[in-house]
Amino acid sequence: MGNIILLAILASFFYWIFKSYSRYTAYSQEAFKNFSISKESLQRSELGLFVALVAKVAKADGKVDALEAELIGIMFDDISALFPQPQKTKDILKEIFNEHKNNVQNAQEIAHVLAKAIKRDRAKQHQFMGFLIQLAFVDGEVSKSEEEILASIAEALEFDPNVYHAMFDQFEKMMHNIKPKANINDAYKLLGVNENDSMDVIKKAYRKLVREYHPDIIKSQGKDDAYMQEATAKTQEINQAYEMIKAHKKH
């Protein structure tokens, strides 16, 4: 019952976040087909600037946890697939990420540049801030340093402060007040593994499912709201099951 309640609330919350994207023009391979791949060009691009901000939020609390790393790695794949020379693009995006993750001092400066790049497009503001807030909460809680950097980025993006606080507060309330307890047998079933399987086998199954159901910041633009709702809720459910199995295996 707890899982059902959590999924229902996640679905309604992300419907609210992503419903404003319906008029958004999706990023596509066609849009980037003539893009000249270099570190300089990617750093100046909207998505390169966004990756820099993702790095700062991910490391704001001093660490990048396992699920954050998993989702960021998949994000690299999703974004780089849009560009010519995907592998070269991904390598450069990783380089940008690593350069920015340990320096939060210029977060506002990067966000100001992104604001100009997207011409203060409200739908894009909403998309980027929604992803950053979700990333901060993905480990179950938001540190003071994460909260501060999110607020500074939202301000620099000229994102509506009322909308930002409503998004943040609702996510915080949901994460703090709802802690469903699933049955361990259901956790194994969800990941499609058995109790006797090794953690290597279980981790491979977990990573495969996360990749299959993750919230895709690119492909979501061409689909209806249900896509992001279901993907986000499923990712949360998969990770919860995996964490339960890891704890169970230690006993």
Side-chain angles (χ1 to χ4, degrees), residues 157-206:
L157 283 177
E158 299 182 24
F159 188 59
D160 186 329
N162 293 325
V163 175
Y164 168 75
H165 288 298
M167 291 168 65
F168 188 96
D169 291 348
Q170 188 165 351
F171 214 133
E172 184 175 48
K173 182 178 180 180
M174 176 187 66
M175 296 299 290
H176 287 176
N177 293 345
I178 300 178
K179 299 177 181 178
K181 299 187 181 300
N183 182 288
I184 189 62
N185 293 325
D186 291 339
Y188 282 111
K189 183 177 180 181
L190 177 61
L191 297 192
V193 296
N194 300 311
E195 185 174 355
N196 294 329
D197 288 335
S198 68
M199 280 307 302
D200 285 342
V201 170
I202 293 170
K203 185 175 183 179
K204 286 180 182 178
Y206 161 75

Coordinates of all heavy atoms in Angstrom, one line a residue, residues 157-206:
L157 N 18.9 32.0 -13.1 CA 18.1 31.6 -14.3 C 16.9 32.5 -14.4 O 16.1 32.4 -15.4 CB 17.7 30.2 -14.2 CG 18.7 29.1 -14.5 CD1 18.1 27.7 -14.4 CD2 19.2 29.2 -16.0
E158 N 16.6 33.3 -13.4 CA 15.4 34.2 -13.3 C 14.2 33.3 -13.3 O 13.1 33.7 -13.9 CB 15.4 35.2 -14.5 CG 16.6 36.1 -14.5 CD 16.6 37.2 -15.6 OE1 15.5 37.5 -16.1 OE2 17.7 37.6 -15.9
F159 N 14.3 32.2 -12.6 CA 13.1 31.3 -12.5 C 12.2 31.8 -11.4 O 12.6 32.3 -10.4 CB 13.7 29.9 -12.1 CG 12.7 28.8 -12.1 CD1 12.0 28.5 -13.2 CD2 12.4 28.1 -10.9 CE1 11.0 27.5 -13.3 CE2 11.5 27.1 -10.9 CZ 10.8 26.8 -12.1
D160 N 10.9 31.8 -11.7 CA 9.9 32.3 -10.8 C 10.1 31.7 -9.4 O 10.0 30.5 -9.2 CB 8.5 31.9 -11.3 CG 7.4 32.5 -10.5 OD1 7.6 32.8 -9.3 OD2 6.3 32.7 -11.0
P161 N 10.5 32.6 -8.4 CA 10.8 32.1 -7.0 C 9.6 31.4 -6.4 O 9.8 30.4 -5.6 CB 11.2 33.3 -6.3 CG 10.6 34.5 -7.1 CD 10.6 34.0 -8.5
N162 N 8.4 31.8 -6.7 CA 7.2 31.1 -6.1 C 7.1 29.7 -6.6 O 6.8 28.8 -5.9 CB 5.9 31.9 -6.4 CG 5.9 33.2 -5.7 OD1 6.4 33.4 -4.6 ND2 5.4 34.3 -6.3
V163 N 7.3 29.5 -7.9 CA 7.2 28.2 -8.5 C 8.4 27.3 -8.0 O 8.2 26.2 -7.7 CB 7.3 28.3 -10.1 CG1 7.3 26.9 -10.7 CG2 6.1 29.1 -10.6
Y164 N 9.5 27.9 -7.9 CA 10.7 27.2 -7.4 C 10.4 26.7 -6.0 O 10.6 25.5 -5.7 CB 12.0 28.0 -7.4 CG 13.1 27.4 -6.6 CD1 13.8 26.3 -7.1 CD2 13.4 27.9 -5.3 CE1 14.8 25.7 -6.4 CE2 14.4 27.3 -4.6 CZ 15.1 26.2 -5.1 OH 16.1 25.6 -4.4
H165 N 10.0 27.5 -5.1 CA 9.8 27.1 -3.7 C 8.6 26.1 -3.6 O 8.7 25.2 -2.8 CB 9.5 28.4 -2.8 CG 10.7 29.2 -2.6 ND1 11.8 28.7 -1.9 CD2 11.0 30.5 -2.9 CE1 12.7 29.7 -1.8 NE2 12.2 30.7 -2.4
A166 N 7.6 26.3 -4.4 CA 6.5 25.3 -4.4 C 7.0 23.9 -4.9 O 6.7 22.9 -4.3 CB 5.4 25.8 -5.4
M167 N 7.8 23.9 -5.9 CA 8.4 22.6 -6.3 C 9.3 22.0 -5.3 O 9.1 20.8 -4.9 CB 9.3 22.8 -7.6 CG 8.5 23.2 -8.8 SD 9.6 23.8 -10.2 CE 10.5 22.3 -10.5
F168 N 10.2 22.8 -4.7 CA 11.1 22.3 -3.7 C 10.3 21.8 -2.4 O 10.6 20.7 -1.9 CB 12.1 23.4 -3.3 CG 13.2 22.9 -2.4 CD1 14.4 22.6 -2.9 CD2 13.0 22.8 -1.0 CE1 15.4 22.1 -2.1 CE2 14.0 22.4 -0.2 CZ 15.2 22.0 -0.7
D169 N 9.4 22.6 -2.0 CA 8.7 22.3 -0.7 C 7.8 21.0 -0.9 O 7.8 20.2 0.0 CB 7.8 23.5 -0.3 CG 8.6 24.7 0.2 OD1 9.8 24.5 0.4 OD2 8.0 25.8 0.3
Q170 N 7.2 20.9 -2.0 CA 6.4 19.7 -2.2 C 7.2 18.4 -2.3 O 6.8 17.4 -1.7 CB 5.5 19.8 -3.5 CG 4.5 18.7 -3.6 CD 3.4 19.1 -4.6 OE1 3.3 20.2 -5.1 NE2 2.5 18.1 -4.9
F171 N 8.4 18.5 -3.0 CA 9.2 17.4 -3.0 C 9.8 17.0 -1.6 O 9.9 15.9 -1.3 CB 10.4 17.7 -4.0 CG 10.9 16.5 -4.8 CD1 11.1 16.6 -6.1 CD2 11.1 15.3 -4.1 CE1 11.5 15.5 -6.8 CE2 11.5 14.2 -4.8 CZ 11.7 14.3 -6.2
E172 N 10.2 18.1 -0.9 CA 10.7 17.8 0.5 C 9.7 17.2 1.4 O 10.0 16.2 2.1 CB 11.1 19.2 1.1 CG 11.8 19.0 2.4 CD 12.3 20.4 2.9 OE1 11.6 21.4 2.8 OE2 13.5 20.4 3.4
K173 N 8.5 17.7 1.3 CA 7.4 17.1 2.1 C 7.1 15.6 1.8 O 7.0 14.8 2.7 CB 6.1 17.9 2.0 CG 4.9 17.4 2.8 CD 3.7 18.3 2.6 CE 2.5 17.8 3.4 NZ 1.3 18.7 3.2
M174 N 7.1 15.4 0.5 CA 6.9 14.0 0.0 C 8.0 13.1 0.5 O 7.7 12.0 1.0 CB 6.8 14.0 -1.5 CG 6.6 12.6 -2.1 SD 6.8 12.7 -3.9 CE 8.5 13.2 -4.1
M175 N 9.2 13.5 0.3 CA 10.3 12.6 0.7 C 10.5 12.4 2.2 O 10.8 11.3 2.6 CB 11.6 13.2 0.1 CG 11.7 13.3 -1.4 SD 11.6 11.7 -2.2 CE 13.2 11.0 -1.8
H176 N 10.1 13.4 3.0 CA 10.3 13.2 4.4 C 9.1 12.5 5.1 O 9.3 11.8 6.1 CB 10.4 14.6 5.0 CG 11.8 15.3 4.7 ND1 12.1 16.5 5.1 CD2 12.9 14.8 4.1 CE1 13.3 16.8 4.8 NE2 13.8 15.7 4.2
N177 N 8.0 12.7 4.5 CA 6.8 12.1 5.2 C 6.4 10.7 4.7 O 5.6 10.0 5.4 CB 5.6 13.1 5.0 CG 5.8 14.4 5.8 OD1 6.7 14.5 6.6 ND2 5.0 15.4 5.4
I178 N 6.8 10.3 3.6 CA 6.4 9.0 3.0 C 7.6 8.1 2.9 O 8.5 8.3 2.2 CB 5.7 9.2 1.7 CG1 4.5 10.1 1.8 CG2 5.4 7.8 1.1 CD1 3.8 10.3 0.5
K179 N 7.6 7.1 3.8 CA 8.6 6.1 3.8 C 8.0 4.7 3.8 O 8.0 4.0 4.7 CB 9.5 6.3 5.0 CG 10.2 7.6 5.1 CD 11.0 7.8 6.4 CE 11.6 9.2 6.4 NZ 12.4 9.4 7.7
P180 N 7.6 4.3 2.6 CA 6.9 3.0 2.5 C 7.9 1.8 2.7 O 9.1 1.9 2.3 CB 6.4 3.0 1.0 CG 7.3 3.9 0.3 CD 7.6 5.0 1.3
K181 N 7.4 0.8 3.3 CA 8.2 -0.4 3.5 C 7.8 -1.5 2.6 O 6.6 -2.0 2.7 CB 8.2 -0.8 5.0 CG 8.7 0.3 5.9 CD 8.8 -0.2 7.4 CE 9.3 0.8 8.3 NZ 10.6 1.3 7.9
A182 N 8.6 -1.9 1.7 CA 8.2 -3.0 0.8 C 8.7 -4.4 1.3 O 9.6 -4.5 2.2 CB 8.9 -2.8 -0.6
N183 N 8.1 -5.4 0.8 CA 8.4 -6.8 1.2 C 9.7 -7.2 0.4 O 9.8 -6.9 -0.8 CB 7.3 -7.7 0.8 CG 7.5 -9.1 1.2 OD1 8.3 -9.8 0.6 ND2 6.8 -9.6 2.3
I184 N 10.7 -7.8 1.1 CA 11.9 -8.1 0.5 C 11.7 -9.1 -0.7 O 12.4 -9.0 -1.8 CB 12.9 -8.8 1.5 CG1 14.3 -8.9 0.8 CG2 12.4 -10.1 2.0 CD1 15.0 -7.6 0.4
N185 N 10.7 -9.9 -0.7 CA 10.4 -10.8 -1.8 C 10.0 -10.0 -3.0 O 10.3 -10.4 -4.1 CB 9.4 -11.9 -1.4 CG 9.9 -12.8 -0.3 OD1 11.1 -13.2 -0.3 ND2 9.0 -13.3 0.6
D186 N 9.2 -9.0 -2.7 CA 8.7 -8.1 -3.8 C 9.9 -7.4 -4.4 O 9.9 -7.1 -5.6 CB 7.7 -7.1 -3.3 CG 6.4 -7.8 -2.9 OD1 6.1 -8.9 -3.4 OD2 5.6 -7.2 -2.2
A187 N 10.9 -7.0 -3.6 CA 12.1 -6.3 -4.1 C 12.9 -7.2 -5.1 O 13.3 -6.8 -6.2 CB 13.0 -5.9 -3.0
Y188 N 13.1 -8.5 -4.7 CA 13.7 -9.4 -5.6 C 12.9 -9.6 -6.9 O 13.5 -9.6 -8.0 CB 13.9 -10.8 -4.9 CG 15.1 -10.8 -4.0 CD1 14.9 -10.9 -2.6 CD2 16.4 -10.7 -4.4 CE1 15.9 -11.0 -1.7 CE2 17.5 -10.8 -3.5 CZ 17.2 -10.9 -2.1 OH 18.3 -10.9 -1.3
K189 N 11.6 -9.7 -6.8 CA 10.8 -9.9 -7.9 C 10.8 -8.7 -8.9 O 10.9 -8.9 -10.1 CB 9.3 -10.1 -7.4 CG 8.4 -10.4 -8.6 CD 7.0 -10.7 -8.0 CE 6.0 -11.0 -9.2 NZ 4.6 -11.3 -8.6
L190 N 10.8 -7.5 -8.3 CA 10.9 -6.3 -9.1 C 12.1 -6.2 -10.0 O 12.1 -5.8 -11.1 CB 10.8 -5.0 -8.2 CG 10.9 -3.7 -8.9 CD1 9.7 -3.5 -9.9 CD2 10.9 -2.6 -7.9
L191 N 13.3 -6.6 -9.4 CA 14.5 -6.6 -10.1 C 14.7 -7.8 -11.0 O 15.6 -7.9 -11.8 CB 15.7 -6.5 -9.2 CG 15.8 -5.2 -8.3 CD1 17.2 -5.1 -7.7 CD2 15.5 -3.9 -9.2
G192 N 13.8 -8.8 -10.9 CA 13.9 -10.0 -11.7 C 15.0 -10.9 -11.3 O 15.6 -11.5 -12.2
V193 N 15.4 -10.9 -10.0 CA 16.5 -11.7 -9.6 C 16.0 -12.6 -8.4 O 14.9 -12.4 -7.9 CB 17.7 -10.8 -9.1 CG1 18.2 -10.0 -10.2 CG2 17.2 -9.9 -8.0
N194 N 16.9 -13.5 -8.0 CA 16.6 -14.4 -6.9 C 17.5 -14.1 -5.7 O 18.6 -13.5 -5.8 CB 16.8 -15.9 -7.3 CG 15.9 -16.3 -8.5 OD1 14.7 -16.0 -8.5 ND2 16.5 -16.9 -9.5
E195 N 17.0 -14.5 -4.5 CA 17.8 -14.3 -3.3 C 19.2 -14.9 -3.4 O 20.1 -14.4 -2.8 CB 17.0 -14.8 -2.1 CG 17.7 -14.5 -0.8 CD 16.8 -14.9 0.4 OE1 15.7 -15.3 0.2 OE2 17.3 -14.8 1.6
N196 N 19.3 -16.0 -4.1 CA 20.6 -16.7 -4.1 C 21.5 -16.1 -5.2 O 22.7 -16.5 -5.3 CB 20.4 -18.2 -4.5 CG 19.6 -18.9 -3.4 OD1 19.8 -18.6 -2.2 ND2 18.8 -19.9 -3.7
D197 N 21.1 -15.2 -6.0 CA 21.9 -14.5 -7.0 C 23.0 -13.7 -6.3 O 22.8 -13.1 -5.2 CB 21.1 -13.6 -7.9 CG 20.3 -14.4 -8.9 OD1 20.7 -15.6 -9.2 OD2 19.3 -13.9 -9.4
S198 N 24.2 -13.6 -6.9 CA 25.3 -12.8 -6.4 C 24.9 -11.3 -6.5 O 24.1 -10.9 -7.3 CB 26.6 -13.1 -7.1 OG 26.5 -12.6 -8.4
M199 N 25.6 -10.5 -5.8 CA 25.4 -9.0 -5.9 C 25.8 -8.5 -7.2 O 25.3 -7.5 -7.7 CB 26.1 -8.3 -4.8 CG 25.4 -8.3 -3.4 SD 23.7 -7.7 -3.5 CE 23.8 -6.0 -4.2
D200 N 26.8 -9.1 -7.9 CA 27.2 -8.7 -9.2 C 26.0 -8.9 -10.2 O 25.7 -8.0 -11.0 CB 28.4 -9.5 -9.7 CG 29.7 -9.1 -9.1 OD1 29.7 -8.0 -8.5 OD2 30.6 -9.9 -9.1
V201 N 25.3 -10.0 -10.1 CA 24.2 -10.3 -10.9 C 23.0 -9.3 -10.6 O 22.4 -8.8 -11.5 CB 23.7 -11.8 -10.7 CG1 22.3 -12.0 -11.4 CG2 24.7 -12.8 -11.3
I202 N 22.8 -9.1 -9.3 CA 21.7 -8.2 -8.9 C 22.0 -6.8 -9.4 O 21.1 -6.0 -9.8 CB 21.6 -8.3 -7.4 CG1 21.0 -9.7 -7.0 CG2 20.6 -7.2 -6.9 CD1 21.0 -9.9 -5.5
K203 N 23.3 -6.3 -9.3 CA 23.7 -5.0 -9.7 C 23.5 -4.8 -11.2 O 23.0 -3.7 -11.6 CB 25.1 -4.7 -9.3 CG 25.5 -3.2 -9.6 CD 26.9 -2.9 -9.1 CE 27.3 -1.5 -9.3 NZ 28.6 -1.1 -8.8
K204 N 23.8 -5.8 -12.0 CA 23.6 -5.7 -13.4 C 22.2 -5.6 -13.8 O 21.8 -4.8 -14.6 CB 24.2 -7.0 -14.1 CG 25.8 -7.0 -14.1 CD 26.3 -8.2 -14.8 CE 27.8 -8.2 -14.9 NZ 28.3 -9.5 -15.5
A205 N 21.3 -6.4 -13.0 CA 19.9 -6.3 -13.3 C 19.3 -4.9 -12.9 O 18.5 -4.3 -13.6 CB 19.2 -7.4 -12.5
Y206 N 19.8 -4.4 -11.8 CA 19.4 -3.1 -11.3 C 19.8 -2.0 -12.3 O 19.0 -1.1 -12.7 CB 20.1 -2.8 -9.9 CG 20.2 -1.3 -9.5 CD1 19.1 -0.6 -9.1 CD2 21.4 -0.6 -9.6 CE1 19.2 0.7 -8.7 CE2 21.5 0.7 -9.2 CZ 20.4 1.3 -8.8 OH 20.5 2.7 -8.4

